Structure formats: structure tokens, C-alpha cells
Amino acid sequence: MNKRVFLGADIGGTFIKLAIMDGQGNIIKKWSIETNTSDQGRHIPLEIYESFSKHLEMENLTFEHIYGLGIGAPGFVDLSSGIVYEAVNIGWKDFNLKQAMESYIHQPVFVSNDANLAALGENWKGAGKNVEDLIMVTLGTGVGGGVITSGQVINGINGTGGEIGHITVSPQDGPLCNCGRRGCIETYASATGIARMGYEAVQNGKETSLKEIMNLNGRITAKDVFEEAKKDDQVCRKIIEKVTDLLGLVLSNLAIAINPKKIVIGGGVANAGEELLSPLKKSFRRYCLPRTADACTFQLAELGNDAGVIGGAYLVKKQLYLYK
Amino acid sequence: MNKRVFLGADIGGTFIKLAIMDGQGNIIKKWSIETNTSDQGRHIPLEIYESFSKHLEMENLTFEHIYGLGIGAPGFVDLSSGIVYEAVNIGWKDFNLKQAMESYIHQPVFVSNDANLAALGENWKGAGKNVEDLIMVTLGTGVGGGVITSGQVINGINGTGGEIGHITVSPQDGPLCNCGRRGCIETYASATGIARMGYEAVQNGKETSLKEIMNLNGRITAKDVFEEAKKDDQVCRKIIEKVTDLLGLVLSNLAIAINPKKIVIGGGVANAGEELLSPLKKSFRRYCLPRTADACTFQLAELGNDAGVIGGAYLVKKQLYLYK
């Protein structure tokens, strides 16, 4: 029993990432299983349990060797009860994930929103370096977020805490968002939003190299827009300018309330690196209180897809008070 | 020694509010002294001490009968050290208020930003009713704010946490703010901002009853604008519409990140009551995630000018772990 470990799970719409970790957040083993969304996702807890059983056994471990499981779900979660209020992509509604998992593994299970868990992981072992106050924003298919104040993730009263993607930037004439409203920052700063603006530029007959890319590949990606901007395509430069201007405004307004030490940018769009960060930092400083901006540094996320499971291990540590 | 009390102090640019309170936040005695800003405010700690001495004595108490002093300063504060980084109206810069006060009273002193302290007080004994997640916004000469998540006030990494007034709503063409930037919500939703819009309407020759008020009183107040709007003055209605539209957007964007149970509105402008709240709630719901809006209720602040000193007592209780 002197080798006790932590389990982490990060449930996505297509895959569930699973990992066994030590107390320092080092991954002993990680793997994925497919997300079985049949029957409103009711088989997921058993399948997670069975997969952990198999892999623990391969490591000569049992569930008695674990401190607990930290698990992220893509939806609104109640931290204390472990109920997933709603996870549209999975099919859960008022589903007690904590109870379901604990009935199998007979060890403590803690549930969090997936983006909040990723922020926790990134703060522990990644770009955050355990600062007390941090904003993480993930620019992927959508825009996700996690906010940490005084070392605690903001979950909020009914699980929508940190939903940065739905902060409104152009309420009147913005693009329609998946949430049903208009002009959420997600409609601009996500990979989908950037690609859409590139596509619209081509549709509107703008003079841009995206036209050839569209002809060649049949589509335009956010990566294309960043690459052509780097080659000084003026239309692409304007798109990046708009994206970083709006995201800088959102982050500065949030930072004025949170006063974080770090803002960590993750997700596929973050692969653009300095092409994204440099104008974003300028825009942030333009809109932010100087004192707030002075205290805050931008960093790219470091853990990639492992952030969620590592955050899971950390959530267990925090909830069980396994150290300060 | 069985009657132990709490001291609260709320330092403003003109007056310092002082109070002796019991452990339930009931005010035993409250009074004010003038703020002595001479010599960069260096006499303030001694004057607070002397005033407390006198009034404690009147109550047959000494500093040995107190648990501690909670004190609010109008500036950026470091909660743990008690250093006031900067309080422009007082003249302090990197001033260790905690140390200065403790050297006199020989009991624990805790320092916070004044708006954050008011939020704490309002959440304890006022409109907040001790919810875990709350946003308080004070619409006075300026716009102040305090944000509470998981029962803790967000102070941030260098004391700018909760500076809601400087959230930007019209970065390009907004009015100049005291902070040096343009279009902060303070320039619209403060009493000063509302009065300014009324004055501008008169200057621009708009058809409004504010013209007569201007002629009669030589000035226009926020109260005038609300009163004339109530009498269906269309220019005043438009001003209130604009103010509540912008403030609703700011609060909804903040609520999406914080997911609070309550938003408490205080300050002089809050005296407009439903004339303010009703359109504000509509605007909030228009811009907010429905799930976030569903969980959140608006309330008017209840403690008025006592919020700060009561928050001071509560800060002492929290910091000394006098109860959960």
C-alpha cells in the first residue's frame, strides 16, 4: 500500500481520456476509450470503471491503491454533489456521476466541468505554476474557460462559472452562437470563428490568398488564416487583428474583476504562438487598467490534451486535503 | 472579558466611518471623524486609534475587549500584508496600514479595499444573506465593485480585484474616465455619468424637461434624470435605457464567469429602485446565458453607509476563524 496513485478521467463527446498518476502529477499510464453515448450515456460509468480495472491490473494495482478519481464532464456540474446538471453532447441531464462512479470503485470521486479541470491541471503542472489567481482560455472548436481565484476554481452557483466563451462582444450584429445568442466571443476567437471569417472574406470577393486555399482544399482553417497573415496577406492580418482585439477586450474586462497573475491560452488556435500572443497582449494592455495589466503575464498552455486528467488528480488532492 | 467586540473603520476621502459591533454584526455605536489628508495622510492611524480609545471608554471598554479591527481603504490593498499600495485620495503609497494600526491597538488588524469590504458587509448582514457567490456594484460618484466567490472576496494579485467600474464598454468613442482610459462603465452608470448625459442632452438642444431643471438649479443630477424619466420625458428614458443596457451587458459578462446567486446594487443611484432595476434585469437577461440568468437574482443594497464597517467586523471574524 505504499504506492498510492490518483486516477483522472476527461470525458469528451468522442473520446474519454483516462490516466493513472502519482502524487506529483506524473502520468504513470494514459489511454483513451470511445465515448458511448447510447442510452443517454448511461453505460459510461461502467465502461470507465472496467477500463480502469484492466489498466490498474496491468500495473499490478487495484482500486485500493488509489486515493480517488477526479473526473471532468463537458457540461454544467455541481462540485459538491457531483451531479452533472446537463451535458448535451453526452446525453446526461441531472445525472449523479459521482454516485455512479463511487458505486463501482468504492473510493472518493470528484466531478468538475472539463474546462475548469483543465485550468486546474494547467495551473498545477503546466503554464500556471500554481499561482493563486489565473484565467485559462481554450481556443478550440469552441472557446472554453476556467477561472481560479485564491487557488480555487470558480464553479459558481449552478455550474456555469468560467464559461468565458459566452461573454458577449457584439450583441447587436454578431454571428449566431451555438448557445442561441449573438456575438459571443466564441463566434470570433474559436478555430471555427476564425475559419468562418476567412471563408466570408473569400465569399465577399476580398483579395486574399485564402481564395486559392479554398479552391485547393475545399475549406479554410484557422491555421490557414494565421499562416497567410504571417505571409502578410492583408485580409488575414485584419482577421487576426479583429480576433485579438475582441479577445483582448474580453480578457481585460475579466482581468479587471479577477486581477490574475497569469492568463493561459490553450487549444488548437494557441499553436499560432506569437502570431496570436503578440497582438493579443497589445490589445489586452490597451483595454486594461495599467495596474492590472502590469501584474499579469500571458502564457501558452503546456499540457495539451493531458491538462484534464492531470487536473483530475489535483482535484482529488485538493478535495481530500492531501496537502495544503 | 465576556463582552468582546469588533471594530470597523471605513476610510473615505472626506470622512472616516467608525463603529463598535458585537459578534452578530449589530452596531453598538457608530460615528465619523474627518479624514486628515495632511502630510500624505500619515496622521490617520493615530487619529483612528484616539477616536476608538475615546469611544471604547464611553462604552466602558478597552482595546483588550476587542477581537480585532477590520478596516477599508479607498485604494489597492494587499490583504495578507495589509499594505495599501496606493490610495490617491488619501495620499498613501505603499503604506503599511495594518502595521501602523497594530502598533497602536495591539490587537489584530485586517485591511481591505473599501468596496470589497462593503460587499462583504452587505453579504453578511444585508441583501446578500451570506450566499457563497455574489457580485456587488456600487453606483455612486464612481462605480465600485466587490466580487465574492465561494464565500471569499476576490482581492487579486495586486489589489485591483473587483474594480468593476473600469470594465470597458465603449473603448473607441466613450467618455474619458478618471483612470485615463475611455468608455469605462463608470463613465455611464455612475451618478456623475448619468448627470453628464442629462447635461449633454440639454447642451445639444434636445427637447427635455431637464432644460428647466438646469435653468432652475444650475445643474442636473442623476436623480433628476430618473424622476423625469418616470414622468415619461423621452430624452431621460433614453438615457436610462442606455445606462441599463450597458450595465446589464457588463454584469451579464461578469456573471458568465462568476455564476453568482445574487447581484446587489448599491450607492446613490440605487435609490431609483425599480426604475433602475426593472430595465437592468431585462438587459441582463438579454445578454446572459439563460442558465446563468436563471440562477441569479438582483437586489438593492440594504446597509447603506454602514456596509463598510460591518464588513470590517466580518473580515476580522473570517480572518481569525471565529466561526466557519
Side-chain angles (χ1 to χ4, degrees):
Chain A
M1 277 296 284
N2 58 2
K3 188 189 171 191
R4 285 188 78 179
V5 296
F6 294 83
L7 302 183
D10 184 1
I11 304 175
T14 316
F15 290 101
I16 301 172
K17 288 164 222 116
L18 301 168
I20 305 169
M21 287 153 287
D22 69 17
Q24 280 70 52
N26 300 309
I27 291 177
I28 297 166
K29 186 169 194 185
K30 65 175 180 177
W31 68 99
S32 293
I33 61 173
E34 278 181 38
T35 309
N36 180 355
T37 54
S38 67
D39 301 328
Q40 285 86 51
R42 77 174 57 156
H43 309 296
I44 290 174
L46 180 60
E47 293 182 5
I48 290 176
Y49 162 70
E50 287 176 343
S51 186
F52 271 130
S53 293
K54 201 171 69 182
H55 285 267
L56 282 169
E57 205 184 320
M58 288 190 240
E59 301 294 317
N60 292 313
L61 295 165
T62 71
F63 284 104
E64 284 183 13
H65 294 98
I66 72 160
Y67 280 110
L69 162 65
I71 188 164
F76 304 126
V77 174
D78 182 52
L79 214 59
S80 56
S81 66
I83 289 174
V84 181
Y85 294 122
E86 198 172 4
V88 179
N89 294 335
I90 310 294
W92 289 337
K93 210 171 156 61
D94 296 324
F95 182 76
N96 197 323
L97 180 58
K98 177 185 171 76
Q99 208 173 63
M101 287 310 313
E102 284 182 347
S103 74
Y104 291 122
I105 75 174
H106 302 292
Q107 293 282 18
V109 174
F110 302 101
V111 185
S112 175
N113 167 272
D114 55 352
N116 291 350
L117 206 63
L120 209 53
E122 200 59 62
N123 195 24
W124 185 32
K125 298 298 290 181
K129 304 272 177 294
N130 253 344
V131 299
E132 291 281 294
D133 304 279
L134 172 144
I135 295 171
M136 176 159 173
V137 57
T138 306
L139 310 174
T141 312
V143 170
V147 179
I148 293 173
T149 63
S150 301
Q152 302 294 324
V153 173
I154 296 184
N155 195 65
I157 190 72
N158 68 348
T160 74
E163 287 287 334
I164 297 173
H166 298 291
I167 287 179
T168 311
V169 288
S170 28
Q172 267 75 41
D173 54 358
L176 201 63
C177 182
N178 285 330
C179 75
R181 296 178 310 119
R182 281 197 177 275
C184 297
I185 185 65
E186 173 163 310
T187 64
Y188 296 98
S190 61
T192 324
I194 296 169
R196 190 204 71 247
M197 283 185 272
Y199 181 74
E200 282 171 1
V202 172
Q203 291 299 99
N204 294 336
K206 296 268 169 67
E207 202 47 63
T208 165
S209 47
L210 291 175
K211 211 160 19 179
E212 289 120 71
I213 292 171
M214 181 72 200
N215 287 337
L216 209 66
N217 306 337
R219 63 182 198 133
I220 289 163
T221 65
K223 199 177 166 205
D224 296 330
V225 177
F226 274 103
E227 278 174 359
E228 296 310 307
K230 205 172 175 177
K231 292 182 207 152
D232 219 27
D233 181 294
Q234 289 306 306
V235 168
C236 291
R237 293 210 75 82
K238 280 234 170 78
I239 293 173
I240 305 305
E241 222 170 77
K242 174 150 198 180
V243 166
T244 52
D245 181 66
L246 292 173
L247 185 59
L249 176 63
V250 163
L251 291 176
S252 81
N253 282 347
L254 204 51
I256 284 170
I258 305 295
N259 188 200
K261 190 169 171 62
K262 286 197 182 175
I263 294 178
V264 176
I265 314 283
V269 174
N271 291 333
E274 275 305 311
E275 288 294 302
L276 171 75
L277 276 196
S278 169
L280 180 59
K281 283 193 263 189
K282 269 186 211 136
S283 156
F284 178 78
R285 182 161 274 281
R286 187 160 64 242
Y287 295 130
C288 202
L289 276 181
R291 184 176 176 85
T292 309
D294 288 345
C296 183
T297 55
F298 279 74
Q299 297 211 233
L300 296 171
E302 292 173 0
L303 302 181
N305 289 331
D306 295 340
V309 291
I310 291 173
Y314 194 51
L315 182 64
V316 174
K317 289 189 80 156
K318 280 178 97 80
Q319 294 288 320
L320 295 179
Y321 299 99
L322 290 179
Y323 69 134
K324 170 197 123 57
Chain B
M1 280 292 286
N2 59 1
K3 188 188 172 193
R4 284 188 78 178
V5 296
F6 294 83
L7 302 183
D10 184 1
I11 304 173
T14 314
F15 289 102
I16 302 172
K17 289 163 222 121
L18 300 168
I20 304 169
M21 287 154 287
D22 68 16
Q24 280 70 52
N26 300 309
I27 291 176
I28 298 167
K29 185 167 194 187
K30 65 174 179 178
W31 67 99
S32 292
I33 61 173
E34 277 181 39
T35 309
N36 181 355
T37 54
S38 67
D39 301 329
Q40 284 86 50
R42 78 173 56 159
H43 308 296
I44 290 173
L46 179 61
E47 293 181 7
I48 289 175
Y49 162 72
E50 287 176 341
S51 187
F52 271 130
S53 293
K54 200 170 68 183
H55 285 268
L56 281 168
E57 204 184 319
M58 288 189 239
E59 301 293 318
N60 293 314
L61 294 165
T62 70
F63 285 103
E64 284 183 13
H65 293 97
I66 71 161
Y67 280 109
L69 162 65
I71 189 162
F76 304 126
V77 174
D78 182 53
L79 215 58
S80 57
S81 66
I83 290 174
V84 180
Y85 294 121
E86 198 172 3
V88 179
N89 294 335
I90 309 295
W92 288 338
K93 206 164 159 62
D94 298 323
F95 182 75
N96 197 323
L97 180 57
K98 178 184 171 74
Q99 208 174 64
M101 288 308 314
E102 284 181 346
S103 74
Y104 292 122
I105 74 174
H106 301 293
Q107 293 283 18
V109 174
F110 302 101
V111 185
S112 175
N113 167 272
D114 56 351
N116 291 351
L117 206 63
L120 209 52
E122 200 60 62
N123 195 24
W124 184 33
K125 300 297 291 182
K129 303 274 176 293
N130 253 344
V131 299
E132 291 282 293
D133 304 279
L134 172 142
I135 295 171
M136 177 158 174
V137 56
T138 305
L139 310 174
T141 313
V143 170
V147 179
I148 294 173
T149 63
S150 302
Q152 301 294 324
V153 173
I154 296 183
N155 195 64
I157 190 71
N158 67 348
T160 74
E163 288 287 335
I164 297 174
H166 297 292
I167 287 179
T168 312
V169 288
S170 26
Q172 267 76 42
D173 54 359
L176 200 64
C177 182
N178 285 329
C179 75
R181 296 178 310 121
R182 283 198 175 274
C184 298
I185 185 65
E186 173 163 310
T187 63
Y188 296 99
S190 61
T192 325
I194 296 169
R196 190 205 69 246
M197 283 185 272
Y199 181 74
E200 282 173 0
V202 171
Q203 292 298 100
N204 295 335
K206 295 268 168 68
E207 200 48 63
T208 165
S209 48
L210 291 175
K211 209 160 19 178
E212 290 120 70
I213 292 172
M214 182 71 200
N215 287 338
L216 209 65
N217 305 337
R219 63 182 198 133
I220 289 164
T221 66
K223 199 176 166 207
D224 295 329
V225 176
F226 274 104
E227 277 174 0
E228 297 310 307
K230 205 171 175 177
K231 293 181 204 153
D232 218 28
D233 181 293
Q234 288 306 307
V235 168
C236 291
R237 293 210 75 81
K238 280 235 171 80
I239 293 173
I240 305 306
E241 223 169 76
K242 173 148 197 180
V243 166
T244 53
D245 181 67
L246 292 173
L247 185 59
L249 177 63
V250 163
L251 291 176
S252 80
N253 282 347
L254 204 50
I256 284 169
I258 306 295
N259 188 201
K261 190 171 171 63
K262 288 198 180 174
I263 293 178
V264 176
I265 313 284
V269 174
N271 291 332
E274 275 306 311
E275 289 293 303
L276 172 75
L277 275 196
S278 170
L280 180 60
K281 283 193 263 189
K282 270 186 210 136
S283 156
F284 179 77
R285 181 161 274 283
R286 186 160 64 243
Y287 296 129
C288 202
L289 274 182
R291 183 176 178 85
T292 309
D294 289 345
C296 184
T297 55
F298 278 74
Q299 297 210 235
L300 296 172
E302 292 173 1
L303 302 181
N305 288 331
D306 295 340
V309 290
I310 292 173
Y314 194 50
L315 182 65
V316 174
K317 289 190 79 155
K318 281 178 97 79
Q319 293 287 322
L320 295 180
Y321 299 98
L322 290 178
Y323 69 134
K324 171 192 125 51

